[in-house]
Amino acid sequence: MGDEVPAPPPPPQTHWSDHFPSYDSWLSENAGASLDEYREAMYEHGRHLNIELKQFDGAFAIFSHLAHTDHIGGMNNVGLCMQEGEGCEKNPEEGFKWLKKSAERGFAKAQYNMGVTLSQGIGCEKDSQAAVQWYLAAVAANYKYAPTNLGLLYKNGDGVERDYSKAMEWYMKGIEAGDSAAFTNVGWMYENGCGVEKSSLKAVEYYEMAAASGDAVANYNLGVLHENGTGVPKDEVKAARFYKVAADAGDASALCNLGWMYEYGKGVPHDYAQALQYYLKSAESNHIHAMHNLGVKYADGTGVEKDEERAVHFYERAAKLKHPSSLCNLGYMYQHGHGCVKNVEKAVELYRESADLGDTVGALNTAIVYEYGRGVVIDLMMALRYYRIAAKKDSRDAIQKLTPNADFARSLHLAGVRYFRDNKTTEASEHFCAAHALGHPDSLNQIELIMDSRALLPVTFGSPMRYFDAPPSECSSLLSSMMAEILDLIFQWVHPKQVIQCRRLSRRFSEHFASEYFARQNLRHFVLRKYSRAGLQHNVNLYDRMLLQGPHAFQTAYIDLHLNFSEGEIDRENKKVVTLGKPELMPIPLAFSNWTSLTAISLRECQIHGAIPESISNLQSLIVLDLSVNRFDDTEIPSSITKLRNLEVLLLNSCHLTGELGADLHAFLRTLRHYNLRKNKLKSTVLGFKWFVKGAKKWKERKLAYLAVHPMLL
């Protein structure tokens, strides 16, 4: 793209001379002024028309004329007008070329604007690394807004390696240059403890300095702090005042929050009409929460005349931006034909999308449509999946559905009966296991019946024969020469401990018993029964030791059977997958990394040694990880552990861990409800870092402060 020449700008709808005098006329009032001074005056008048008067046609006519005279400011502004469609037809690609032409000629503002366009992919392919270089060029030209945006790239790791310290350095340079947004972003870093020790007082101090300069984001953030009572006494009246200042400056989030405060009478008089106006102004900027709130108001007729078609309009706008609750509500409108043509299939799609984005009601509605077949084929296992998702988010209706006496458990059992009658044993087993996990009293007997029927099936050979092209010339009774199916039938009834010892008999046995298929065949006759028969409960550790001491195939098969038997549900009270004794010193089982649906691991005091594997990041469903009191001697916490987005509890105390906690790990720990890193050799660069946190509040959707970033500038 470096050699591309921008096409001439489209002809303006008006002539530049209609908006600014000719050089001779202007010179009569500005005697002795040069042609360059005349063009600068024309340039500033064009900016006045565009920014203050919103007369885009006249402004574009002036910028277009200046661009033809090779005025670098005119080129920059022609590019911006073409990207935004102000005074001309919108053409972001050609606009980008004009910006680049101006930037390459050394115009600092254009260099800054190139950083913005490349980092966001406006009229070009996104290229954050190139954006960094253009921002650096603008910094070298002393353009005051460039350091702040460059700091934001370092904070996000966009085009550069994430580095909170460097982000702070650039923000401080922005402060030196007089950029109020830099004060805001330093305040945000202190509020969230990124690269600095967390301090709400420092955050408020920097926000107030930025707010004194009229920074809209700083005023919004101060409103959030006062509304939540973070670092300052809770004061909804002050919060509303800060939101009002930010809203008057056009901040969409402040407009939305101020509308919410008027709707519920928080810090301001209760006023539905005012709330509606603020929501509408915020929605003009496509603020996702404002559009959702408008959908709710029009659907319910809260403070406005009920208008379901208008509700659908706002829900659809918010749904396009993936607002979970709007997707769910839009699904409801389509399911019942409120404000739109009834479309049950589309409703199901919207419910599922909402649920997958974390909406509780969306998950519950998805489960209901799959349970009763509303718009889809009945699928009880899919319904179970979404009931569980909703139950994890404390949905009372979903929790009630998953109780032993609920009709849903009986429906799962009856479905298993129907599948078993039709000889669909895989589906039958799946439904019986699910029903048993919910506490249905008759499902366990059906599971054992299926297991026994599978084990006693005769060996059959297809045609042509599978294992040899021709019959063997002579028969042999040696175990090592028997076919795999025969070995399976013999050894699947032998105790797993003895089977593992049999691996020493020959290489063939060793290879055969290394199969996960055989391990499952063998373990199911022993492991499953220990849960179902009270007389074998005392042997619980006997099998659980295999998790750490057995071959990899048996480790994987054991976890598989153990969790499948209870349909993946973990004991919420004890948060343990298995109850281990104290086996010999062994590394952490690699089998865990294969089980991506695992939600809890508790291997406390298991004498595990070695290192915590990087593959721990595969367990994206993990909520609880307890590896405390083990022997990870002189190894570090793997960086991949920060990728466990659903983790709430991390216990690594007394593990002999070493190393320095990086910025990413510090940030990750702050998202946890409970963690313990005490009694290790770990170091932290954050002053006052807490090695033990318990009982932190569970995260919920709330209003959050955000960072300031400058847009492109004329």
Side-chain angles (χ1 to χ4, degrees), residues 607-626:
Q607 301 189 54
I608 300 172
H609 78 113
I612 302 173
E614 291 284 345
S615 58
I616 196 79
S617 62
N618 294 348
L619 307 181
Q620 288 295 305
S621 300
L622 208 59
I623 298 172
V624 176
L625 177 59
D626 182 1

Side-chain angles (χ1 to χ4, degrees), residues 19 47 71-72 95 108 113 135 146 157 233 261 313 332 416 467 492 506 522 536 546 564 628 654 690 702-705:
H19 306 280
R47 293 182 72 246
H71 186 280
I72 54 178
N113 287 339
Y135 279 140
M261 297 191 87
H313 166 75
Y332 179 85
Y467 296 100
Q492 67 185 355
S506 71
N522 178 237
L536 291 177
M546 208 175 328
N564 266 340
S628 52
S654 304
K690 295 181 180 179
R702 61 191 186 278
K703 296 166 185 172
L704 298 171

Side-chain angles (χ1 to χ4, degrees), residues 256-278:
C256 180
N257 286 8
L258 194 56
W260 183 88
M261 297 191 87
Y262 272 107
E263 182 168 4
Y264 293 97
K266 302 287 187 180
V268 291
H270 184 279
D271 190 330
Y272 280 135
Q274 279 276 47
L276 179 64
Q277 292 308 309
Y278 280 117

Side-chain angles (χ1 to χ4, degrees), residues 451-462:
M451 291 297 183
D452 291 341
S453 67
R454 284 179 176 176
L456 298 175
L457 287 174
V459 179
T460 57
F461 303 99

Side-chain angles (χ1 to χ4, degrees), residues 228-353:
N228 295 335
T230 307
V232 291
K234 185 171 182 175
D235 190 331
E236 292 176 337
V237 174
K238 277 190 177 181
R241 288 176 189 162
F242 283 117
Y243 286 148
K244 181 67 166 63
V245 174
D248 289 343
D251 187 278
S253 295
L255 286 163
C256 180
N257 286 8
L258 194 56
W260 183 88
M261 297 191 87
Y262 272 107
E263 182 168 4
Y264 293 97
K266 302 287 187 180
V268 291
H270 184 279
D271 190 330
Y272 280 135
Q274 279 276 47
L276 179 64
Q277 292 308 309
Y278 280 117
Y279 284 149
L280 288 170
K281 287 180 182 177
S282 181
E284 289 175 5
S285 300
N286 287 324
H287 192 277
I288 188 169
H289 298 303
M291 292 187 290
H292 172 74
N293 290 351
L294 285 167
V296 173
K297 286 181 73 65
Y298 281 110
D300 296 342
T302 309
V304 294
E305 185 177 348
K306 188 172 182 177
D307 188 337
E308 291 181 334
E309 290 185 7
R310 197 156 172 75
V312 168
H313 166 75
F314 284 111
Y315 281 147
E316 285 182 334
R317 287 177 60 188
K320 286 179 181 178
L321 298 177
K322 306 301 180 185
H323 189 285
S325 296
S326 285
L327 285 161
C328 177
N329 291 3
L330 187 60
Y332 179 85
M333 304 296 271
Y334 272 105
Q335 182 180 2
H336 299 281
H338 294 170
C340 56
V341 177
K342 187 174 181 177
N343 188 332
V344 181
E345 290 77 12
K346 186 171 183 177
V348 175
E349 292 176 10
L350 290 165
Y351 285 149
R352 284 195 62 173
E353 189 174 0

